[in-house]
Every structure is written in C-alpha cells, then in structure tokens.
Amino acid sequence: MTADPQMDCRELVERVTEYLDDALAPDDRARLERHLADCPACTRYLEQIRVTIAAAGALRDTDLDERMRTDLGAVFERWRRTR
C-alpha cells in the first residue's frame, strides 16, 4: 500500500459527500484538499454541489406541486435502492 496516494478526480467525486459532511478521516480530507488546490475542474464541481445543496435546502414542501413531489420521491427511491 502506498502511503498517502494522490486523489484523482474520480475519487473526489465519489467522496465529496463525505467531505461536505465532515466525515472524512484527516488524511483523506488532506488528500482531497490537495487535489482541489491543483484541480480547477474539481473546485468548480465542489462549488456546484454546494450551490445545489443550498438551493435544495431552501425549498419548502409548498414550493413543489404534487407531480414534482412524486417525481422527486421516485428519484430518491431509485437512488436509495442503488446504494
């Protein structure tokens, strides 16, 4: 096993939720942050995820009509089954 291997873009995408939830081990967090320092594309990706989370968090149940709630529930259910 290589000590402190570099993180690539694919691994960053897979682990970004853990990063945002502050659930990464300190070594992995440092690897991710080093990757971000050198990768503008992943930096933009992380910002897009943060903006999406903020926008989704601002939604209220009353902001969605019945069809949107049903469609969104179906998407979450498919996502849950594939995890």
Side-chain angles (χ1 to χ4, degrees):
M1 179 175 195
T2 304
D4 197 22
Q6 290 187 344
M7 182 172 287
D8 61 18
C9 298
R10 182 190 52 77
E11 184 179 358
L12 184 137
V13 168
E14 291 172 357
R15 307 202 68 186
V16 72
T17 301
E18 294 172 88
Y19 177 71
L20 293 171
D21 289 344
D22 200 23
L24 285 176
D27 290 351
D28 288 333
R29 183 176 192 84
R31 291 176 52 235
L32 189 144
E33 290 176 344
R34 281 194 302 276
H35 180 85
L36 287 172
D38 291 332
C39 184
C42 284
T43 300
R44 282 191 304 277
Y45 172 74
L46 177 61
E47 183 58 26
Q48 289 170 346
I49 295 296
R50 285 182 167 143
V51 168
T52 300
I53 290 169
L59 284 176
R60 297 173 307 212
D61 191 41
T62 56
D63 292 336
L64 304 175
D65 64 28
E66 183 60 32
R67 182 178 175 160
M68 291 174 77
R69 282 194 295 272
T70 300
D71 290 349
L72 190 57
V75 169
F76 282 126
E77 183 59 30
R78 281 194 303 271
W79 172 78
R80 189 183 66 77
R81 278 188 261 132
T82 60
R83 290 193 74 187

